[in-house]
Amino acid sequence: MKQLVQELVDSILKEDARKVTAIYGGGFKPPIKGHFNIAKTALKDMPEIDKLMIYVGGGIRDGIEQEEALAIWDIYKEVLGPKVEPVPSVAPIGDIMRYAKEHPTEEVYFVIGYREGREDDIKDITQRTKGVEEKYPNLKVRVIKTSDPNVSGTNARKALKKGDKETFFTFLPDEVPDNEKEEIYNLVNKSIVSEHMAHSNTTDILSKCAELTNYMRSKGYNIDPAPALKVIDSDVENSQDFFGKTAYYDPNEQLIVLYTQGRHPKDIVRSYAHEMIHHIQNVEDRLGNIVTTNTTEDDHLEGIEREAYEEGNIAFRNWTDSLQEGKVKDPFGLNAFAYELARLGEEQLNEGRYDKFVNELSRLAFGIIKDGYDVSRKVVDETFTVGPEDEDPDIVSNDFEFDFYVQATYTEDLYTVDGGANAGYDDEGDEITPLLSVHFNIPKNPDWQTVSFDLKDVIRHELEHLTQDGLNVRSGKQLPDDSMLRKMIDSDLLSKADYFKLAKEVDAMLQGLYFKAKKSKKPFIDVIDDYLDKQPITSEERKEILDLWAKRTKNIGLPMFEEQEKKPKKYYIFSDMDGVLADFDKGYKDLTGMTTHHADAQGKKEFWKIFRDSLKEKGMSEKEYWAGLDWMPDGKKYWDYIKQYKPYVLTAPSVNFDAPEDQRYSPEYNQSMQGKTEWGQRLPNMRKMYFASAKNKAKFARPNTILIDDRKDTIDAWNAAGGIGIFHTSADNTIKQLQDLGL
């Protein structure tokens, strides 16, 4: 009898030992051969697996949804075998942990893959799996390598967007038959195309262009005869090219061509408004003979493009405002300068809702950092889980679920503060556990009160980011991905100041700084000022940031900080060079022995003949002459005052009319342009140098542009064109006139 019982017990124990469930989780948008090969390798190398569950996340990537990903895994299952079971999941990584906790009698394999040669994958795996085997005794991490680092969901989606079926097929498993590859392609391509064309189908572009045309006509724009319009809506290759066309105007045909593939309808009609200004320029015979598309090579092109951008945008904005009269304005763009209007109707937060939770996290982080300092550690780094109580986390929260990472490096005298947040997606768009991290450098003699307050700021800041996307998103707070804008800022394609105007950053900064202000018992505005004082921004940029932040506070449930002074009107300054900055008269007399007044009395042609003959006599090039001019006696004082406004230099080149016509105004041949450009290197903060004859300078005039010039006729022409002219007689006089304008 005892032997029979023992055999039964042994049989049951043996049966239990065979219950091995492997789980492989991710976004899989779409599942590609790298994913397939990980599942295939797991089944081959671990024959003890009874069931391989594929947890498919619920995110959407380029129109590909969970439903399509599950359908593709069902196709792969036919090849991989019956052990495979695709399962929909909200948060795959978290669901794997939950499964292990809820099935303690099973051995659970946490299957995770990495691409050979990708250090970032190894780092991600380490972060995802740290401490899980200790926390869940029945959970074992199983890491599987794939060979091709370039096989990724991102590259597969790129092929889909281009409609490149042949390339897309290379991302699918070799074991899948061609007819099923075709089925997969049609399945995900339909999703991509559906998302790609969604905007184009919602609005009748032609009717909106017609409405804008009638509006411009009613406002007196000189548009008749109206141009023809052609819409190109299927140029996929052009839409994928960063330098691809968006629109153009053909003056010979009086035709506007719009490229619409993948663009928002509002953006398309804005392009139409731009090209309509070019049509008006053509009707009024102002377009001229343009031989280049590079605005830096042609002053005339620069002028007409400036007009098209400014007048086109104004016409478009006035038209859309007229359509919104009596309605709540709802701008759709990602423009950080106006984003506060786009979110006026969102759900307001209860200020202070997360104070207790942030205090808990900051106390924990402070303790870790302080303990590391006390025992002379070089580095500390600790990770804690945050989540609901039933998941047995390190930190209980019924509002959030993420990993909390604390890192401190102990230095000689360097103190830096940084943080980060990942809403729950890796670089390929696959779901991972959300992360909130703090990174501090701690000097030998730290101010611990400062460290404490900075921790509260950083943690509240990063917590706000977690509420904007992913697993922890809150109603009314989700914001579009801004990673491309951040890359442009990092690459200096956009100003560093634009970082402080990003929609996601404005809310996070305000929440963090206000929490710090409360805890340090300082005025909100003082904490903001202290923060902005340390940032690489100009005084003008600072005012724009403060104006935006002040408008935003009331919409996120924060008290208003002190009223900002009314933002002054923004002006663009254009400065002449000769006689204002550079002492041309002195240079001419030193070269020729004659004053400019005496030489000028002999006529313009003789003036420049004397100039060039003197250059030959002294063996000097024209470039050397212009580059070597002295400053005007008060030129440095004048520039030191205006440089804070990042002025332009607008100067006339000297022209040798004996030279071929196509070379007279070309920087490649015109030595005065070369020499002046070299002289301009003395001018810190100069935005750009433009070349235009005195009579053509007025083409740059706009209501908010200031020209400072020593020629009265040039100033008169500038004023007549609608600009603001300052006749320069001395630095002191010009500075006074600028101050009268509030500058």
Side-chain angles (χ1 to χ4, degrees):
M1 184 66 179
K2 284 185 178 181
Q3 183 177 357
L4 178 59
V5 171
Q6 186 63 48
E7 288 176 356
L8 286 172
V9 170
D10 290 344
S11 176
I12 293 171
L13 291 174
K14 188 176 180 181
E15 183 67 25
D16 283 342
R18 289 198 298 269
K19 291 182 180 178
V20 177
T21 300
I23 310 176
Y24 176 35
F28 307 122
K29 307 298 188 309
I32 55 175
K33 66 181 177 184
H35 302 136
F36 176 94
N37 289 336
I38 288 171
K40 178 183 175 183
T41 301
L43 292 169
K44 178 184 176 184
D45 293 353
M46 295 169 254
E48 69 275 17
I49 292 175
D50 296 297
K51 179 169 60 176
L52 173 58
M53 301 172 71
I54 310 294
Y55 277 4
V56 178
I60 301 175
R61 286 293 176 271
D62 293 323
I64 302 175
E65 300 184 13
Q66 185 182 62
E67 183 180 354
E68 285 82 33
L70 287 166
I72 295 170
W73 273 113
D74 282 336
I75 293 173
Y76 292 172
K77 179 178 179 178
E78 296 176 9
V79 179
L80 293 169
K83 289 185 178 181
V84 174
E85 181 183 337
V87 178
S89 169
V90 176
I93 306 304
D95 286 345
I96 294 173
M97 313 297 181
R98 276 183 281 275
Y99 185 92
K101 180 181 178 181
E102 293 167 3
H103 299 80
T105 61
E106 294 183 26
E107 190 168 3
V108 180
Y109 289 175
F110 180 174
V111 176
I112 191 166
Y114 77 96
R115 291 162 292 183
E116 187 175 14
R118 291 288 296 265
E119 292 298 323
D120 53 330
D121 283 2
I122 299 295
K123 184 177 179 181
D124 181 52
I125 290 172
T126 303
Q127 186 66 44
R128 287 200 218 183
T129 61
K130 187 175 181 180
V132 297
E133 291 184 342
E134 291 78 10
K135 187 170 183 178
Y136 304 99
N138 61 324
L139 183 67
K140 306 296 179 187
V141 176
R142 296 290 184 260
V143 180
I144 297 174
K145 178 178 70 176
T146 59
S147 57
D148 190 345
N150 296 316
V151 175
S152 68
T154 300
N155 291 333
R157 293 193 300 273
K158 286 180 181 178
L160 283 170
K161 289 180 182 179
K162 294 178 181 179
D164 188 349
K165 184 192 298 186
E166 183 177 348
T167 298
F168 178 72
F169 276 11
T170 65
F171 291 95
L172 299 180
D174 298 334
E175 295 87 339
V176 174
D178 287 344
N179 64 315
E180 292 188 342
K181 288 182 180 178
E182 190 78 31
E183 181 182 345
I184 293 170
Y185 177 80
N186 291 334
L187 183 70
V188 291
N189 189 52
K190 182 179 179 181
S191 300
I192 291 278
V193 171
S194 175
E195 167 143 315
H196 196 57
M197 298 303 294
H199 287 313
S200 298
N201 292 331
T202 58
T203 306
D204 186 344
I205 301 300
L206 296 177
S207 68
K208 292 300 179 187
C209 289
E211 289 179 31
L212 175 57
T213 302
N214 290 331
Y215 174 83
M216 294 178 73
R217 185 180 285 117
S218 72
K219 294 299 179 182
Y221 286 85
N222 186 19
I223 63 174
D224 293 316
L229 175 62
K230 180 180 179 181
V231 175
I232 299 177
D233 61 1
S234 57
D235 193 337
V236 176
E237 183 176 353
N238 179 74
S239 71
Q240 299 296 320
D241 183 358
F242 180 80
F243 297 102
K245 298 175 182 176
T246 55
Y248 68 86
Y249 175 69
D250 184 342
N252 297 316
E253 300 291 331
Q254 292 196 0
L255 170 70
I256 292 174
V257 179
L258 300 175
Y259 292 80
T260 63
Q261 180 82 7
R263 298 176 64 195
H264 194 287
K266 205 167 183 181
D267 182 46
I268 296 167
V269 181
R270 186 182 286 106
S271 293
Y272 176 75
H274 178 105
E275 303 305 331
M276 280 294 285
I277 301 301
H278 285 320
H279 172 66
I280 293 170
Q281 292 166 339
N282 185 43
V283 169
E284 296 176 352
D285 199 26
R286 295 189 290 113
L287 206 53
N289 182 27
I290 300 170
V291 296
T292 178
T293 60
N294 189 338
T295 56
T296 65
E297 296 177 355
D298 189 321
D299 291 335
H300 179 56
L301 175 60
E302 171 79 22
I304 64 172
E305 279 299 325
R306 182 186 298 275
E307 179 184 352
Y309 277 113
E310 293 183 356
E311 296 297 328
N313 280 335
I314 290 171
F316 177 81
R317 179 61 183 269
N318 289 342
W319 170 64
T320 55
D321 283 350
S322 72
L323 298 179
Q324 293 292 329
E325 289 177 1
K327 302 178 182 179
V328 177
K329 292 184 179 181
D330 185 24
F332 70 97
L334 293 178
N335 186 343
F337 299 96
Y339 101 101
E340 72 274 16
L341 296 176
R343 301 175 61 202
L344 284 176
E346 75 175 17
E347 173 186 331
Q348 293 194 5
L349 288 183
N350 176 17
E351 187 275 310
R353 176 180 176 185
Y354 304 127
D355 285 7
K356 183 178 178 181
F357 180 52
V358 174
N359 278 330
E360 182 180 2
L361 294 179
S362 60
R363 277 197 301 270
L364 175 63
F366 183 85
I368 292 169
I369 294 172
K370 183 68 163 57
D371 289 347
Y373 176 87
D374 290 341
V375 297
S376 301
R377 293 275 298 274
K378 291 184 178 180
V379 177
V380 295
D381 61 344
E382 297 285 345
T383 301
F384 303 89
T385 57
V386 178
E389 186 174 3
D390 61 359
E391 295 182 13
D392 193 25
D394 299 312
I395 304 165
V396 174
S397 171
N398 293 321
D399 290 317
F400 292 98
E401 187 172 349
F402 59 87
D403 286 344
F404 180 44
Y405 177 65
V406 180
Q407 181 192 59
T409 302
Y410 301 95
T411 69
E412 285 293 319
D413 55 9
L414 178 65
Y415 177 64
T416 63
V417 176
D418 198 6
N422 185 313
Y425 303 108
D426 63 15
D427 291 340
E428 302 300 332
D430 291 338
E431 284 87 350
I432 59 175
T433 302
L435 175 70
L436 190 158
S437 59
V438 294
H439 311 269
F440 277 48
N441 281 315
I442 303 296
K444 276 189 174 180
N445 298 299
D447 179 343
W448 288 112
Q449 186 178 60
T450 298
V451 173
S452 175
F453 290 145
D454 285 343
L455 273 170
K456 296 179 192 304
D457 175 10
V458 171
I459 292 171
R460 183 62 185 90
H461 178 115
E462 301 304 341
L463 189 69
E464 187 69 15
H465 281 317
L466 289 183
T467 69
Q468 295 167 346
D469 195 12
L471 179 65
N472 297 288
V473 71
R474 294 295 181 267
S475 174
K477 296 182 68 62
Q478 187 162 19
L479 291 167
D481 177 56
D482 60 5
S483 57
M484 183 57 68
L485 291 173
R486 292 173 185 268
K487 289 177 182 177
M488 293 173 74
I489 292 169
D490 290 342
S491 303
D492 293 327
L493 296 173
L494 291 176
S495 165
K496 296 299 183 186
D498 287 328
Y499 172 76
F500 304 96
K501 301 171 188 175
L502 292 172
K504 289 185 175 182
E505 288 301 329
V506 172
D507 284 8
M509 288 177 185
L510 287 172
Q511 293 286 6
L513 292 171
Y514 181 65
F515 188 68
K516 180 178 181 179
K518 284 197 302 183
K519 294 303 175 182
S520 62
K521 294 180 170 51
K522 291 182 179 180
F524 191 11
I525 186 63
D526 288 355
V527 175
I528 290 174
D529 282 340
D530 181 62
Y531 174 72
L532 292 179
D533 284 345
K534 301 169 185 173
Q535 309 309 323
I537 54 177
T538 66
S539 58
E540 184 176 336
E541 290 168 338
R542 182 191 184 108
K543 289 177 181 177
E544 291 178 353
I545 292 166
L546 284 171
D547 185 60
L548 174 62
W549 287 14
K551 293 176 182 177
R552 183 63 188 146
T553 51
K554 63 181 179 180
N555 297 311
I556 56 175
L558 296 182
M560 292 289 288
F561 51 83
E562 291 178 4
E563 279 292 322
Q564 304 303 314
E565 62 183 30
K566 188 175 180 182
K567 187 171 68 173
K569 184 175 181 180
K570 183 174 183 179
Y571 293 107
Y572 295 93
I573 296 177
F574 290 81
S575 175
D576 183 29
M577 181 172 165
D578 305 325
V580 177
L581 291 165
D583 198 339
F584 174 75
D585 289 352
K586 179 178 181 296
Y588 191 92
K589 185 176 182 181
D590 290 346
L591 175 70
T592 66
M594 300 175 63
T595 66
T596 54
H597 178 75
H598 181 71
D600 201 36
Q602 301 181 47
K604 184 176 181 180
K605 187 174 182 180
E606 185 63 21
F607 180 95
W608 290 110
K609 182 178 184 301
I610 295 170
F611 172 74
R612 291 191 170 87
D613 286 347
S614 298
L615 287 175
K616 289 179 182 178
E617 289 175 9
K618 296 192 174 183
M620 181 186 295
S621 72
E622 191 169 342
K623 177 182 177 181
E624 290 176 297
Y625 169 81
W626 292 104
L629 287 176
D630 291 336
W631 281 88
M632 288 290 291
D634 59 359
K636 290 184 179 180
K637 178 180 181 180
Y638 159 74
W639 186 261
D640 284 343
Y641 186 83
I642 69 168
K643 69 182 181 182
Q644 61 183 307
Y645 302 109
K646 296 184 179 178
Y648 297 91
V649 170
L650 182 59
T651 182
S654 67
V655 179
N656 184 357
F657 287 95
D658 293 332
E661 188 173 350
D662 63 340
Q663 296 181 10
R664 293 174 187 172
Y665 293 96
S666 169
E668 184 178 353
Y669 300 100
N670 188 305
Q671 290 197 22
S672 74
M673 296 170 75
Q674 297 170 10
K676 288 190 174 195
T677 299
E678 186 173 318
W679 197 97
Q681 294 176 7
R682 309 181 193 184
L683 303 174
N685 238 24
M686 178 182 71
R687 196 184 298 260
K688 189 175 181 181
M689 182 178 289
Y690 289 110
F691 295 96
S693 63
K695 68 178 181 179
N696 284 327
K697 286 186 178 182
K699 292 182 178 180
F700 288 81
R702 295 292 183 275
N704 62 335
T705 56
I706 299 170
L707 174 66
I708 301 166
D709 200 290
D710 66 330
R711 287 185 54 159
K712 186 67 167 61
D713 56 344
T714 302
I715 291 298
D716 290 342
W718 186 273
N719 288 331
I724 301 169
I726 294 179
F727 179 47
H728 182 83
T729 57
S730 69
D732 289 340
N733 180 265
T734 293
I735 290 170
K736 183 179 183 306
Q737 293 187 64
L738 289 170
Q739 289 172 340
D740 290 342
L741 291 169
L743 297 175

